[in-house]
Structures are given as structure tokens and as C-alpha cells.
Amino acid sequence: MALLRAREVIMAHFRPMLARHDITEQQWRVLRVLAETGPLEATELANRASILPPSLTRIIKAMEEREFITRNKVKDDGRRALLAISPAGLALIEELSPERVAIYEAIEKRYGAEEHERLLDMLESLIQSESPIE
């Protein structure tokens, strides 16, 4: 419960920014993952963005309609597709970057750089300990 409450406290800072641009939290995660990793298949995107596959299907449709992402067939396998962030999606991330950075800086300032870094390290350690070994 503490982790869920912490997530809600942090997301309360980001929701107004996302709402002003008519972007859901899940859509934002998709854009961020694709911007950071490059093109991915839907299964891997769902995993990295922590979104259930059935929900991702709806999100992809909405984001394609808004031209934030593109879908391209995998060469030599027409059943598979790679999803990629579009120039419009990158532009949105760039537009929101100053506000996003300000939010992160305010959170870090509230707890101090050392505590903030320690928290991020602990969370990453938790994530890695629960991730399947590749």
C-alpha cells in the first residue's frame, strides 16, 4: 500500500500537465518508453510501460489516430509490427520537458539530492530483484 500511495503522491504532480495536453498516464508512458528505446513490438512495449496488453491495444489505436506513434510491419513477417514514436510524439515530449524537469527538481529539492538518489537506487534494486533473469 505504501508504494501505491507514493505513486499517487508523485502522479498528482504530473496529472495536471498531462491533462492540459489531453494525454493519459498510460499514453505518456508509451511515448516515454518509445522515445527512450526506439521501436518495439507491442508485447515488449506493454512490458516496459507496465500496461496490460488489452489496454495497450486501445492506447495504440488512440495514439495512431493522434499521430503520436507509427506502426510498421516487421520485414519478412507481416504478422508482427514495430511501434515507434512519431515526430509529433517527440514534439510533445519536448514541449512538456521543461515542466516535467521542474516537477522532478521540486521533488528532489523537497527531499534532498542524496535522499532522492537513494530512493531511486532502492526502487531500481526492487525492480531488478523482481524482474525475470534474461
Side-chain angles (χ1 to χ4, degrees):
M1 290 305 295
L3 289 172
L4 285 172
R5 288 194 307 270
R7 178 188 183 282
E8 288 303 310
V9 166
I10 296 303
M11 287 310 300
H13 296 279
F14 288 91
R15 285 185 185 118
M17 173 187 75
L18 298 175
R20 281 193 299 278
H21 294 275
D22 193 29
I23 296 290
T24 68
E25 293 172 43
Q26 296 83 3
Q27 290 171 341
W28 180 245
R29 290 198 312 255
V30 166
L31 288 175
R32 292 286 310 274
V33 167
L34 291 175
E36 291 170 10
T37 65
L40 293 172
E41 290 189 44
T43 303
E44 182 63 18
L45 178 57
N47 183 42
R48 290 181 185 226
S50 299
I51 297 172
L52 295 173
S55 297
L56 183 62
T57 300
R58 290 186 298 277
I59 292 166
I60 289 169
K61 184 176 187 288
M63 295 184 77
E64 280 183 307
E65 288 172 359
R66 292 182 70 182
E67 298 181 351
F68 287 143
I69 64 172
T70 62
R71 180 192 323 237
N72 296 301
K73 299 279 184 199
V74 173
K75 187 177 180 179
D76 301 327
D77 189 348
R79 298 168 295 172
R80 295 173 40 215
L82 287 177
L83 301 162
I85 192 166
S86 70
L90 287 171
L92 179 62
I93 286 178
E94 186 66 28
E95 181 181 344
L96 296 180
S97 184
E99 188 173 357
R100 184 185 74 204
V101 168
I103 292 168
Y104 283 126
E105 287 174 350
I107 292 167
E108 182 177 318
K109 184 178 178 183
R110 186 173 187 179
Y111 298 102
E114 194 173 301
E115 282 294 299
H116 182 258
E117 192 62 37
R118 189 167 148 249
L119 174 61
L120 292 176
D121 288 344
M122 291 170 60
L123 289 170
E124 188 58 37
S125 177
L126 174 66
I127 292 164
Q128 292 304 318
S129 73
E130 295 295 323
S131 295
I133 298 172
E134 295 180 20

